[in-house]
Amino acid sequence: MATSHLLAAAVTSSSSSAAFRRPLRRLSPPPLSLTLSRRRPFPVVRAADADAKETTKPKAPEKAPAAGSSFNQLLGIKGAKEESNIWKIRLQLTKPVTWPPLVWGVLCGAAASGNFQWTVEDVAKSIVCMLMSGPCLTGYTQTINDWYDRDIDAINEPYRPIPSGAISENEVITQIWVLLLAGLGLGALLDVWAGHDYPIIFYLALGGSLLSYIYSAPPLKLKQNGWIGNFALGASYIGLPWWAGQALFGTLTPDIVVLTCLYSIAGLGIAIVNDFKSIEGDRTLGLQSLPVAFGMDTAKWICVGAIDITQLSVAGYLLSTGKLYYALALLGLTIPQVILQFQYFLKDPVKYDVKYQTPRSTAAHKSSYMSLHPAGKFHSLAIEH
């Protein structure tokens, strides 16, 4: 994103009654003065139910699956192998599987500017912008989200790095600050490199970082509201990296900002995918994600509806403006998406979230490129993938 965070990106129970201890007292923003600690498990928090006393505690595996995958661990997705190497654990926290949509968004924005050329300098600028959006700022977003979700993860996936104690509190805080400062630094560098009079990329990075913080952290914690939080996350995945790429090589105009925000309604559906795997922890801690608020069956149809209706509406808009071939191309991209929805996601949104989400997120950027390119042309950089 300019970050997954650039305004893009993402977010990935113990059965023993002894696991439920007194609530954590400190859920404030990660302070620099946080007390150093050895690696140790975080206590689990169980929210009080104001309406009725809960007698049943959510059940979850107490350790990672025996047949965990090293590949899944490096990507930061479910089914990860338990790991003791601190650098592999750090990489897992950044969830590399969430980077590709942001990288593609930068490419789309660069292509849509009409000024990208296949020169060494332009390619180098693009790579730096991708590093800012993906590993740095998306990594920051995912790490800080895991930090503030450690109580939920202690219920849903107690074997994850933070609740299991595989990485210490101080190491997590250090990673958050390093990734944030690296992303902001690269944003400032890109502004100087592009010769901007106004540091627009830096401010996009700063705004996206702030959005990532208030999405995950109290007191606002946007993710507590399924509609607001998911739209903010989806918009940052689609809008921010696009804006960064376009501003780097051209001019970021108000119409592009408005159109990408509208197109981010599809991003809301993409963001909902992340909520299904955390439904037990969200319900226990009182977070009103859409699967909690509406139930899994209704939420999965809201998810695919937000994605499909948005893209079909854009295809209709393209057709109404005389861009028949672009409309047909968008429909062509939508068909495999719908097939994947019925083949995987609608059958079991928890089991198949990763298989469905990664190609779906990239397709959203491809189709939005066609609808938002100001000159109505394809450049060699974009859409053929």
Side-chain angles (χ1 to χ4, degrees):
M1 162 168 19
T3 140
S4 19
H5 287 196
L6 288 173
L7 185 105
V11 270
T12 55
S13 50
S14 173
S15 59
S16 172
S17 60
F20 292 92
R21 304 187 179 97
R22 298 176 61 186
L24 290 171
R25 295 181 179 177
R26 179 165 51 205
L27 287 176
S28 57
L32 286 173
S33 59
L34 183 68
T35 303
L36 302 184
S37 64
R38 297 178 179 177
R39 295 179 190 177
R40 56 183 176 79
F42 288 96
V44 177
V45 172
R46 181 165 69 92
D49 189 338
D51 299 320
K53 294 181 179 180
E54 292 192 340
T55 57
T56 304
K57 297 179 177 63
K59 296 181 180 180
E62 296 183 356
K63 57 184 179 180
S69 164
S70 297
F71 183 68
N72 287 13
Q73 188 273 329
L74 293 177
L75 290 180
I77 59 179
K78 293 185 301 182
K81 176 184 178 182
E82 288 186 284
E83 183 59 64
S84 59
N85 184 298
I86 186 60
W87 295 106
K88 290 183 179 181
I89 292 171
R90 288 189 182 280
L91 181 63
Q92 180 181 358
L93 284 176
T94 66
K95 295 185 179 68
V97 74
T98 64
W99 301 351
L102 285 300
V103 170
W104 180 257
V106 171
L107 286 172
C108 288
S113 72
N115 297 321
F116 177 89
Q117 303 295 326
W118 285 103
T119 63
V120 173
E121 182 178 12
D122 281 4
V123 170
K125 286 180 182 177
S126 298
I127 291 174
V128 172
C129 195
M130 292 174 203
L131 289 174
M132 175 191 71
S133 301
C136 291
L137 291 178
T138 303
Y140 155 79
T141 297
Q142 297 295 343
T143 305
I144 200 170
N145 184 69
D146 270 18
W147 169 255
Y148 284 107
D149 276 1
R150 59 194 185 275
D151 303 320
I152 298 175
D153 288 341
I155 296 171
N156 293 316
E157 300 173 276
Y159 44 79
R160 287 190 58 78
I162 295 178
S164 70
I167 185 170
S168 72
E169 297 177 18
N170 184 61
E171 287 167 329
V172 176
I173 297 301
T174 300
Q175 175 160 320
I176 289 171
W177 280 107
V178 168
L179 292 173
L180 173 61
L181 295 177
L184 295 177
L186 290 178
L189 171 64
L190 287 170
D191 281 316
V192 173
W193 198 349
H196 291 160
D197 295 328
Y198 180 81
I200 184 171
I201 298 178
F202 172 80
Y203 283 124
L204 285 173
L206 185 63
S209 302
L210 177 61
L211 179 64
S212 298
Y213 178 79
I214 65 175
Y215 172 81
S216 298
L220 294 180
K221 202 174 181 70
L222 298 181
K223 68 181 299 178
Q224 292 180 115
N225 183 297
W227 296 107
I228 297 174
N230 284 333
F231 181 80
L233 184 63
S236 63
Y237 256 57
I238 291 178
L240 283 171
W242 182 297
W243 299 348
Q246 184 147 348
L248 181 60
F249 295 101
T251 302
L252 183 59
T253 58
D255 59 327
I256 291 295
V257 172
V258 171
L259 288 170
T260 49
C261 285
L262 291 174
Y263 204 88
S264 294
I265 295 173
L268 182 149
I270 298 171
I272 295 172
V273 178
N274 291 315
D275 293 333
F276 288 96
K277 66 180 182 295
S278 303
I279 189 168
E280 288 300 331
D282 289 349
R283 182 182 292 117
T284 301
L285 294 180
L287 298 183
Q288 289 299 303
S289 66
L290 295 186
V292 171
F294 293 97
M296 188 173 295
D297 287 339
T298 301
K300 69 184 181 183
W301 285 104
I302 294 175
C303 176
V304 299
I307 295 170
D308 297 344
I309 292 173
T310 299
Q311 293 190 222
L312 292 175
S313 299
V314 172
Y317 167 76
L318 292 173
L319 185 61
S320 69
T321 58
K323 298 177 181 178
L324 173 62
Y325 294 112
Y326 290 173
L328 292 176
L330 179 52
L331 287 175
L333 286 169
T334 304
I335 291 172
Q337 160 187 301
V338 174
I339 292 174
L340 286 171
Q341 288 169 352
F342 280 92
Q343 186 175 1
Y344 293 111
F345 183 73
L346 290 173
K347 285 184 177 179
D348 191 336
V350 176
K351 181 178 179 180
Y352 294 115
D353 63 333
V354 174
K355 285 186 178 181
Y356 170 73
Q357 182 167 234
T358 301
R360 177 27 278 156
S361 300
T362 304
H365 280 301
K366 291 180 180 180
S367 54
S368 61
Y369 172 82
M370 290 186 292
S371 59
L372 299 177
H373 192 293
K377 311 179 191 177
F378 286 95
H379 285 273
S380 58
L381 176 65
I383 213 133
E384 288 91 353
H385 270 334

